[in-house]
Amino acid sequence: MSDSMHYVRTGEGRPILLVHGLGSDLGNWDPIVPALVGAGREVIALDLPGFGDSPPRHGEVTIASLTDAVQEFIVEHELGDVDVVGSSMGARMVLEMARRGHGGAVVALDPGGFWSDNQVKIFGTTVGASIALVRRIQPVLPTLTANRVGRTALLLQFSAHPWRLDPGLVLRELRSFKRATRLDEALRALVHGPKQQGAPAGSLRARVVIGWGRNDRVTLPSQSVVAQELFPDASLHWFDDCGHFPHWDQPEQTARLILDPTSVTTTT
């Protein structure tokens, strides 16, 4: 049951639910939580089943089953049409929620699921290799993440400027890869499972914004074309000088986009 999912609630006001991506945990959102709380919102960040401090659910791990878990969490905690924000795999999940008819605003940051067959094979190979490497070097991660060169080598695939990132943030993120008991299954679901379905024009119940880093090396910017075709009512926002995690590379702009997606100019 999703009521066993670990989560942290911070602040007061209209709630925002944050859904992390593959291998991460709720700490992935740390760079933007203070800004969201400071703007008068309650922030609920959760660990997906089998990630962070949340135990795994029984049964097969799929994007659909993980999305089911989040929707059950929303029902059990009486969050109703809560605004939801997702990153990477979590971004794909919140778009799936919008497709299913979720009534809250949705912000999806660099979502997976819009790749070609070739692109998803490359994604599986490169991300799988990164995960394997991070698992092997866990004992030396504190040393590597403490210096700019180490952070750059470890996070270049995910950040436009990894040397600027907070060492504690990077260390927690990379340690979460070791802790995640359902990481391999979730990766297989992304690579070998069905691609993201779309929402026909006029079918979305609330505002949907897709944010994309122009320097994303994980879900390539070209995939935004497919995302717009499948979600024609969604607006697309580009983050300049930004990799796969806008909330890391451009935290202030990301917070503004989440707080009011209409307040940030959407570009092509």
Side-chain angles (χ1 to χ4, degrees):
M1 293 294 291
S2 62
D3 58 359
S4 65
M5 288 167 64
H6 176 247
Y7 64 96
V8 173
R9 299 180 80 139
T10 312
E12 298 180 356
R14 187 158 60 91
I16 301 173
L17 180 65
L18 305 180
V19 184
H20 66 76
L22 181 72
S24 299
D25 64 13
L26 58 82
N28 180 269
W29 297 105
D30 283 355
I32 62 168
V33 169
L36 300 179
V37 171
R41 303 294 296 269
E42 179 186 30
V43 176
I44 307 166
L46 55 76
D47 287 334
L48 291 169
F51 295 85
D53 290 324
S54 290
R57 285 165 50 117
H58 296 295
E60 184 182 8
V61 176
T62 65
I63 301 304
S65 69
L66 290 172
T67 306
D68 291 343
V70 174
Q71 292 191 295
E72 290 171 17
F73 177 91
I74 290 171
V75 171
E76 290 162 2
H77 292 271
E78 300 181 344
L79 296 174
D81 288 331
V82 63
D83 295 340
V84 292
V85 183
S87 167
S88 191
M89 181 179 74
R92 177 174 178 179
M93 291 165 59
V94 300
L95 286 175
E96 173 61 15
M97 289 171 59
R99 189 192 71 82
R100 294 180 181 185
H102 182 68
V106 167
V107 178
L109 303 173
D110 295 73
F114 299 108
W115 31 50
S116 66
D117 291 341
N118 228 20
Q119 288 170 335
V120 75
K121 289 178 183 177
I122 294 171
F123 166 83
T125 300
T126 57
V127 172
S130 296
I131 291 170
L133 173 64
V134 168
R135 283 172 168 165
R136 286 197 303 270
I137 63 173
Q138 289 286 316
V140 296
L141 281 180
T143 300
L144 291 175
T145 57
N147 68 81
R148 291 162 57 94
V149 174
R151 292 195 298 279
T152 299
L154 290 168
L155 268 298
L156 189 61
Q157 186 177 11
F158 294 91
S159 173
H161 37 75
W163 56 90
R164 299 182 196 170
L165 298 176
D166 176 76
L169 175 71
V170 175
L171 180 60
R172 173 167 180 159
E173 178 75 8
L174 297 180
R175 279 182 166 164
S176 71
F177 281 47
K178 178 69 172 179
R179 297 174 61 209
T181 59
R182 290 296 183 265
L183 174 54
D184 292 336
E185 293 165 83
L187 178 60
R188 283 196 295 271
L190 281 169
V191 174
H192 301 292
K195 296 184 176 69
Q196 177 63 51
Q197 299 179 55
S203 66
L204 297 176
R205 292 183 55 208
R207 182 175 59 232
V208 174
V209 178
I210 301 173
W212 224 296
R214 290 194 185 276
N215 307 107
D216 191 346
R217 300 180 181 92
V218 179
T219 53
L220 302 179
S222 62
Q223 294 167 20
S224 66
V225 175
V226 180
Q228 286 189 292
E229 290 174 352
L230 291 176
F231 287 84
D233 291 339
S235 57
L236 178 65
H237 175 78
W238 287 106
F239 293 93
D240 292 327
D241 190 27
C242 182
H244 190 59
F245 294 147
H247 48 298
W248 285 21
D249 286 349
Q250 298 290 350
E252 293 180 3
Q253 187 181 154
T254 304
R256 291 198 304 271
L257 184 68
I258 292 168
L259 291 165
D260 183 2
T262 64
S263 69
V264 179
T265 303
T266 301
T267 58
T268 59

